[in-house]
Amino acid sequence: MLILSAIVAAYLLGSVPFAMIAAKLFGLADPRTFGSGNPGATNVLRTGNKKAALFTLIGDALKGWVAVFVAQQAGLSPLAVGLVALAVFFGHLFPVFLGFKGGKGVATAAGVLLALDPLLGLAVLATWLLVAYVSRYSSLAALIAAVSAPLYMVLLHGADGHFAVIMAIALALIAKHWPNLQRLMAGQESKIGSKKKA
């Protein structure tokens, strides 16, 4: 019962849409109505409001970290912690509060990875930051970071521990960013900081 409650609580926490909360707090348009239509930090940044984007980024990452950290501190088994990690991540992708149409999961995945394995999380985050800085494409950074996560896991620990959880998150991130990859290949993808378009 404790494990089931933890999974449900993690999913509900993951479903909290910080992009929508930021829009309300900072008086912005619904992030689903412009740009990529994605309720996430990168799309909020298209409004030009960096504080709102930062609020969204931190909120989305923190909910992933908190869910896993609390599960660990509660003494749940590694399997249960892995299920909680997946629940909070997929809660963000398919939030009950937004009709199961959520964000793309990059920030929440980062929070989850930092809680599961801080070194792994930092390595993946550094990869995202480097690619984003050089290319100015958030989606490209996300795709490369997603591919790198299982590779870093193998290098650090082998295919043990939460490898299956990390692989599932990586595959989901790639699937969510598939349209972005197509736009990248067509030269139509928006860069970080580009202004919103209705």
Side-chain angles (χ1 to χ4, degrees), residues 10-184:
Y11 171 76
L12 292 175
L13 178 59
S15 290
V16 176
F18 279 93
M20 306 298 290
I21 295 173
K24 292 289 187 181
L25 288 176
F26 292 90
L28 306 175
D30 186 328
R32 297 171 296 178
T33 63
F34 60 81
S36 66
N38 176 55
T42 300
N43 205 37
V44 172
L45 184 60
R46 291 190 172 100
T47 65
N49 193 318
K50 294 181 180 179
K51 290 182 179 179
L54 182 61
F55 175 88
T56 304
L57 179 68
I58 292 174
D60 284 344
L62 195 58
K63 66 187 182 183
W65 184 87
V66 166
V68 175
F69 178 77
V70 170
Q72 292 169 329
Q73 296 304 305
L76 298 184
S77 67
L79 175 59
V81 170
L83 292 175
V84 165
L86 289 176
V88 69
F89 175 70
F90 282 99
H92 178 81
L93 298 189
F94 307 103
V96 66
F97 305 125
L98 295 181
F100 305 103
K101 297 179 181 178
K104 295 187 176 178
V106 176
T108 303
V112 166
L113 292 181
L114 285 169
L116 286 176
D117 187 324
L119 183 57
L120 172 65
L122 288 173
V124 174
L125 184 59
T127 299
W128 188 95
L129 289 171
L130 177 62
V131 177
Y133 177 78
V134 172
S135 71
R136 308 302 298 171
Y137 287 112
S138 174
S139 54
L140 180 62
L143 285 163
I144 293 177
V147 171
S148 73
L151 298 178
Y152 291 152
M153 180 66 178
V154 171
L155 288 174
L156 290 170
H157 306 294
D160 296 324
H162 291 109
F163 178 79
V165 172
I166 292 166
M167 179 61 78
I169 290 174
L171 290 174
L173 285 171
I174 293 170
K176 290 289 285 186
H177 284 83
W178 193 254
N180 300 86
L181 178 59
Q182 293 176 313
R183 287 195 294 271
L184 280 166

